[in-house]
Amino acid sequence: MKRLFNFLLIVFIFSCNKKNPNEPEQNKQFYLIDIYHGTISLGPRSYWYVKFYTEEGDSIYFEAIVNNGNDISYAFWCDSINFERWKNNENAQLRNYQEAILNYSISSIVSKGTYYIVLGNSAYFDSKIYWARGYIKGLR
C-alpha cells in the first residue's frame, strides 16, 4: 500500500510540473516588429511590395491609405509561392484581394513563413502616393 501511495505521489508531482501548451514560455515576451512605416510613391502601371518573415502563431497587422491620388488600385497579401505565381501571371491564391479602395487593412494570425504585402497602381498616366504601416506581433 505504501508503494502505491508513493507511486501516485510521484505521478501527481510530475503531472503538476507539465507546461500548459497554451501558456507562453516565461522567458519569451511579446514584440512588435515593424515591417514598414512611411509613404509609398507609385508611378503609372507599377506596384510596391514588402517582404517579411514570421514565426508560428505571429499576427500581422497592416494598413494603407491614399495620400495623393484617387484610390489604391489593388492590394493583397500572400505567401512566397503565390507571390512568384502572381508575378509570372499564373493562377495565384491572393489573400484579402481588393480593388479601387481608399484604404486597405489586414489583421491575421499566420504560420511560420515568408509573406508579401502588395499595393498597386494600375493607372496608365497618374502617379499615386500611399501611406502605410505594418508590423508583426509575436513571442520572441
Side-chain angles (χ1 to χ4, degrees), residues 8-65:
L8 292 175
L9 182 62
I10 291 170
V11 170
F12 175 74
I13 289 171
F14 278 112
S15 67
C16 290
N17 287 334
K18 285 187 176 179
K19 292 181 181 179
N20 183 345
N22 296 327
E23 291 180 12
E25 291 183 28
Q26 290 183 1
N27 293 339
K28 292 188 174 187
Q29 296 179 345
F30 276 107
Y31 281 91
L32 296 180
I33 303 165
D34 273 334
I35 55 177
Y36 188 81
H37 187 177
T39 57
I40 300 161
S41 298
L42 288 178
R45 308 291 294 166
S46 64
Y47 66 90
W48 168 93
Y49 69 88
V50 61
K51 176 181 180 179
F52 57 96
Y53 308 94
T54 61
E55 295 295 327
E56 190 67 36
D58 281 353
S59 299
I60 58 167
Y61 301 90
F62 183 83
E63 64 178 325
I65 59 172

Side-chain angles (χ1 to χ4, degrees), residues 98-117:
Q98 296 181 33
E99 292 180 332
I101 52 176
L102 295 177
N103 58 49
Y104 179 75
S105 65
I106 57 174
S107 173
S108 183
I109 298 173
V110 295
S111 300
K112 182 176 182 174
T114 302
Y115 295 92
Y116 294 80
I117 297 173

